[in-house]
Amino acid sequence: MKKISLFIIFLSVFCFNAVSCDKGPVSGGNGEKPVQTDAATRNIERAIAITDAATAAYISSELGMYKYYNPYTGQVTDRGYENVWEYSSAFEAVTNILHALAVQKESGDSRLYDLHFDRYKALLDRLYKGMAYFEGSYSLTSYTKNNHPWTVYGVPRASSPGSNNVTGILNVYDDQMWIIRDFIEVWYATGDNSYLEKAEYLAEYVIDGFDCCVDADGKEYGGITWGPGYVSKHSCSNGPFISPLVWLSDIYKGKGEKATRYYIDPSDRKTRKTEQMDKSEYFLSYARKVYDYQKSHLLRNDGVYADMMGGDDTGGKVVYETVDGVEYRRHTNLRDQAGPPYSYNTGAILSGAADLYRVTGDAEYLKDVQSLTDAGFAYFAKYGTTVKDLYTYDFKGNNSWFNAVLLRGFIDAFPAYSGAALPVDSFQQVYDYAYDNFLYEGLMPNSLYLGWANDKSKRTVRGRDQFAYAAQFALLALYELEN
């Protein structure tokens, strides 16, 4: 495919206040000054610079992630450790960088690969050891299995590796989904089969959470609850799973391997059964099912996605039924579409639609890619409202990371829909603007548009957000390299 260059806008450097331009030295991980060449190289170098600074500031000797750090005082301002979602942002940043380095090398330029790949693989392995503090084992009674043992990642961090309490609401499916995605991308970049094996194992765990109970018409209710201890079904616990399911389908296509599907007999709506399926078709079928559930239940009239389906009649409690003397989870009816449209939710299913179109050629998915790209950009980006010639996105709270998912959606949409080029470029301009004008000691500012807070004591920034920015620079590099 002919390469489409980003339309980079070179903005004049100016400050909103005296401290905004107070920048420290920026260098690559080995102390070398980044070489500003093509867009892909520049984006990788910026991702590496931020990741190196963030790793030094936020990752402790015990491999936990501190929450907040002030680069102007050099102090960690909150020594409490982040939960698994926030911690995985570091893993994601490193994974995306490894992927970009590998693709750039394949394209014929190995300079950055030779400088950074080995040390970043070592950093990834170190972060993987830190993830063990979130890991724990328990037994789950699901829609088709009784008291089945699983080893998964819990929400809070435990005091020792592998000892985490992951029961009930202490683990959620969306955390597993993002880890699955990262593990598959590590496998793509490194060929390390242990990551693929763990990704597939966690994928089976999430599939086990798919509501395969059958309605009066013999159709599965569908959808995945937020976690095994919840009854609400969220965009965030469905959309992020679609792409990795498609990737797994790609990986096993034509290999003849089998998977076991667990399901409920539609004739009596109770009997639990199994069947053997081609593994590639198995994963693709669930990608379609999850996509269909979210689109049919959570798409809003304005073309973006609501947060969740709620309004149950059980007081939020999981209910069970006994079939042939064995207890299983039972379906819980949900009445209400609720919650605001986070950029995360729209971006995740946009990536899913793009991947499904890529492998199926189904024109309906292409229509969805086009309409969701346009609706998402119109809803989440406002032109010139904060800085002239830049699109304004909301980066407050969790949105720094949520917007990374939206950017990924736009990037994934581009091969099928050229209308995604402007949304992708709008993010590139914002991150370049903040990096060029406000970067300090390798970290991005409180506000990507306005710079650092006037009060030095309030210039604390969150590690999760820094790693999210690094991940986005790496994604933009992949966009340049692959298109």
Side-chain angles (χ1 to χ4, degrees):
M1 181 181 295
K2 185 177 180 181
K3 185 174 179 179
I4 308 297
S5 296
L6 293 180
F7 302 101
I8 304 298
I9 294 179
F10 294 94
L11 298 170
S12 298
V13 178
F14 62 94
C15 302
F16 290 91
N17 53 56
V19 300
S20 295
C21 289
D22 184 8
K23 300 192 292 183
V26 181
S27 66
N30 297 327
E32 75 281 0
K33 184 178 180 180
V35 177
Q36 299 302 314
T37 53
D38 62 279
T41 297
R42 183 181 66 248
N43 282 325
I44 295 173
E45 288 175 329
R46 292 183 173 197
I48 287 172
I50 296 171
T51 300
D52 286 345
T55 300
Y58 296 98
I59 304 300
S60 75
S61 60
E62 296 178 339
L63 300 180
M65 181 191 287
Y66 297 128
K67 293 182 179 180
Y68 292 99
Y69 173 80
N70 187 328
Y72 282 84
T73 64
Q75 298 294 316
V76 171
T77 59
D78 185 339
R79 290 195 170 271
Y81 284 147
E82 293 277 26
N83 290 335
V84 70
W85 162 40
E86 289 83 2
Y87 183 87
S88 68
S89 67
F91 198 85
E92 178 186 21
V94 175
T95 297
N96 289 350
I97 291 168
L98 285 171
H99 197 173
L101 290 169
V103 172
Q104 188 179 49
K105 181 183 179 182
E106 290 171 5
S107 73
D109 180 0
S110 65
R111 185 183 68 86
L112 292 182
Y113 181 98
D114 294 340
L115 282 171
H116 300 293
F117 192 88
D118 287 347
R119 76 181 186 90
Y120 260 66
K121 180 58 168 64
L123 175 58
L124 186 84
D125 293 340
R126 180 181 168 216
L127 292 171
Y128 181 72
K129 290 180 181 178
M131 289 184 67
Y133 287 84
F134 298 100
E135 201 169 38
S137 300
Y138 81 122
S139 295
L140 173 66
T141 294
S142 64
Y143 299 104
T144 59
K145 298 184 182 75
N146 177 268
N147 207 32
H148 186 86
W150 292 103
T151 299
V152 298
Y153 293 97
V155 175
R157 188 178 190 271
S159 58
S160 59
S163 67
N164 209 6
N165 181 358
V166 296
T167 59
I169 63 172
L170 294 178
N171 86 87
V172 290
Y173 289 123
D174 60 320
D175 286 345
Q176 322 302 321
M177 293 174 188
W178 288 106
I179 294 169
I180 292 165
R181 295 174 66 104
D182 290 336
F183 284 178
I184 296 174
E185 290 209 55
V186 173
W187 177 78
Y188 279 132
T190 68
D192 188 335
N193 284 325
S194 65
Y195 283 101
L196 179 59
E197 292 168 4
K198 191 61 178 288
E200 187 175 343
Y201 175 85
L202 291 174
E204 290 287 4
Y205 174 67
V206 178
I207 288 172
D208 186 56
F210 182 83
D211 186 352
C212 60
C213 294
V214 179
D215 65 17
D217 296 322
K219 181 180 178 182
E220 291 178 328
Y221 286 103
I224 302 169
T225 57
W226 192 12
Y230 293 90
V231 299
S232 53
K233 295 175 180 176
H234 296 238
S235 287
C236 75
S237 59
N238 286 274
F241 197 34
I242 299 164
S243 284
L245 285 170
V246 175
W247 301 347
L248 287 168
S249 177
D250 281 340
I251 290 166
Y252 288 104
K253 188 173 183 179
K255 293 190 175 179
E257 295 192 29
K258 298 294 183 181
T260 301
R261 176 193 171 218
Y262 292 78
Y263 69 103
I264 297 173
D265 190 338
S267 64
D268 66 10
R269 302 169 58 195
K270 287 188 176 182
T271 305
R272 270 60 181 178
K273 290 189 170 184
T274 63
E275 68 169 340
Q276 293 296 298
M277 293 182 65
D278 176 83
K279 189 176 282 190
S280 178
E281 291 300 318
Y282 169 78
F283 287 123
L284 183 58
S285 71
Y286 277 100
R288 287 180 177 273
K289 289 179 183 182
V290 173
Y291 184 90
D292 290 346
Y293 175 83
Q294 183 168 334
K295 182 181 176 183
S296 62
H297 289 79
L298 288 162
L299 183 62
R300 292 166 30 125
N301 291 334
D302 55 6
V304 295
Y305 278 83
D307 187 41
M308 59 174 281
M309 286 296 298
D312 63 90
D313 295 320
T314 67
K317 294 182 179 180
V318 177
V319 292
Y320 298 90
E321 61 181 350
T322 300
V323 179
D324 296 330
V326 181
E327 188 177 65
Y328 301 101
R329 179 169 182 163
R330 193 178 76 197
H331 168 73
T332 298
N333 287 317
L334 303 172
R335 298 184 305 272
D336 304 324
Q337 186 187 96
Y342 297 112
S343 58
Y344 164 26
N345 296 329
T346 292
I349 197 167
L350 177 55
S351 290
D355 273 318
L356 282 168
Y357 175 67
R358 175 178 57 80
V359 299
T360 68
D362 189 329
E364 193 64 28
Y365 293 129
L366 177 59
K367 285 176 57 180
D368 291 348
V369 167
Q370 295 167 335
S371 61
L372 191 53
T373 296
D374 293 343
F377 189 49
Y379 189 94
F380 295 107
K382 306 301 178 186
Y383 185 71
T385 57
T386 308
V387 174
K388 183 182 178 182
D389 297 328
L390 291 184
Y391 282 89
T392 295
Y393 292 89
D394 181 4
F395 286 97
K396 296 188 295 293
N398 295 326
N399 288 308
S400 294
W401 188 86
F402 287 176
N403 289 340
V405 182
L406 182 61
L407 170 59
R408 182 189 286 268
F410 291 146
I411 288 173
D412 290 340
F414 176 75
Y417 179 45
S418 62
L422 176 59
V424 173
D425 188 49
S426 72
F427 273 108
Q428 179 78 71
Q429 293 171 26
V430 171
Y431 298 132
D432 281 344
Y433 178 80
Y435 192 100
D436 290 338
N437 289 285
F438 308 125
L439 194 76
Y440 185 80
E441 298 293 347
L443 299 180
M444 297 281 264
N446 304 97
S447 168
L448 298 187
Y449 300 97
L450 303 177
W452 296 93
N454 288 320
D455 184 343
K456 184 178 288 190
S457 67
K458 294 181 179 179
R459 294 176 195 162
T460 57
V461 285
R462 195 162 186 175
R464 176 202 62 197
D465 299 342
Q466 299 301 316
F467 286 114
Y469 300 140
Q472 289 168 92
F473 273 119
L475 285 172
L476 288 162
L478 282 165
Y479 170 76
E480 283 288 325
L481 290 163
E482 293 176 344
N483 294 292

